[in-house]
Amino acid sequence: MKSKQRRKANNTIFVAILTIAVVVWTIINIVNVFKVMKNAERLESGKSTNTVSNNITIQNVVTAEDIEENTNQLEIEDLQDKDERTRMQQYCGKFIRYIEEKDYDKAYALLYPDFKNNYFPTEEDFAKYAQEKFPSSLITVEYNNIERQGQYYILFTTVKTPLDSSYSMDQKFILIENGFNDFQISFDVKQD
């Protein structure tokens, strides 16, 4: 009889402890929810916080600059294992891709300063030339030859588009590599 009473008393104590633990756990979770809501309100109102307690984290917003910097770092790591010809072709391809995507500001930024000043004093001048001379979409480049003259790399290419089989433009690109993924480019300007 005493063992039944002892077991019943132990069960009652166990249930009481379990109930208290559940209540404490619930209160902690409610407090955490309020803390998260308070931090979210601070972030929305322009006040930022870098720490949130109890292992709850708020993700940082990734900016376009962060993405560009990470992309640049990945490109640098990729280029480090490439030979000179492959790097120059990738640089030229990047320049052509900007033209193809109509990102003339990015392509213009890659131009060698003296070349830019002599042929395209403004970005608008360059954009107009690119629109007139290069295909409007789906540009392909055949890399025919490469020469190196001191710090200059000269790529001999043929620019084409699969959308117009009659379009073909022999184009010479001159590149200077200042570092991995840090280059300047110029090219033969086609006169009418």
Side-chain angles (χ1 to χ4, degrees):
M1 187 72 143
K2 286 186 177 183
S3 70
K4 272 188 174 183
Q5 287 176 345
R6 196 177 299 152
R7 218 179 295 146
K8 192 173 182 180
N10 285 343
N11 284 343
T12 304
I13 292 172
F14 176 75
V15 169
I17 291 172
L18 185 61
T19 303
I20 292 170
V22 168
V23 169
V24 169
W25 181 78
T26 303
I27 291 171
I28 289 171
N29 282 330
I30 290 171
V31 168
N32 284 336
V33 167
F34 283 115
K35 285 180 180 179
V36 168
M37 289 172 50
K38 187 175 181 180
N39 284 330
E41 287 174 5
R42 272 194 222 140
L43 289 173
E44 287 177 7
S45 67
K47 299 174 187 171
S48 66
T49 179
N50 291 333
T51 58
V52 179
S53 61
N54 296 324
N55 296 328
I56 298 172
T57 59
I58 296 176
Q59 297 293 324
N60 290 332
V61 176
V62 178
T63 64
E65 292 81 18
D66 293 337
I67 293 170
E68 189 171 330
E69 183 177 320
N70 289 340
T71 301
N72 187 45
Q73 187 58 39
L74 290 173
E75 288 176 356
I76 289 171
E77 290 171 9
D78 179 56
L79 289 165
Q80 288 174 340
D81 297 331
K82 306 286 183 185
D83 61 34
E84 290 177 335
R85 181 183 180 119
T86 303
R87 289 195 315 270
M88 296 311 118
Q89 289 175 351
Q90 283 188 242
Y91 297 152
C92 184
K94 184 176 194 176
F95 177 73
I96 292 294
R97 189 171 54 251
Y98 288 152
I99 291 173
E100 183 179 52
E101 294 170 353
K102 314 250 183 302
D103 282 337
Y104 299 119
D105 58 329
K106 290 181 180 178
Y108 187 72
L110 295 175
L111 296 178
Y112 187 74
D114 290 342
F115 172 78
K116 190 187 306 187
N117 292 335
N118 289 335
Y119 292 99
F120 308 110
T122 68
E123 185 182 318
E124 292 76 27
D125 294 333
F126 172 73
K128 182 180 177 189
Y129 177 86
Q131 291 165 358
E132 289 174 1
K133 300 297 180 184
F134 289 93
S136 59
S137 62
L138 293 177
I139 301 172
T140 60
V141 179
E142 291 178 10
Y143 299 99
N144 304 320
N145 196 12
I146 185 170
E147 293 178 5
R148 183 168 182 183
Q149 296 178 4
Q151 66 177 353
Y152 300 100
Y153 296 90
I154 304 167
L155 272 177
F156 297 90
T157 69
T158 304
V159 177
K160 296 182 176 187
T161 180
L163 302 177
D164 181 2
S165 59
S166 66
Y167 179 89
S168 180
M169 178 175 65
D170 290 331
Q171 184 66 65
K172 183 170 42 171
F173 292 97
I174 299 96
L175 296 103
I176 298 174
E177 183 180 43
N178 301 314
F180 293 114
N181 210 29
D182 178 11
F183 66 97
Q184 296 169 322
I185 192 167
S186 58
F187 54 88
D188 278 341
V189 175
K190 306 293 184 190
Q191 303 294 328
D192 287 329

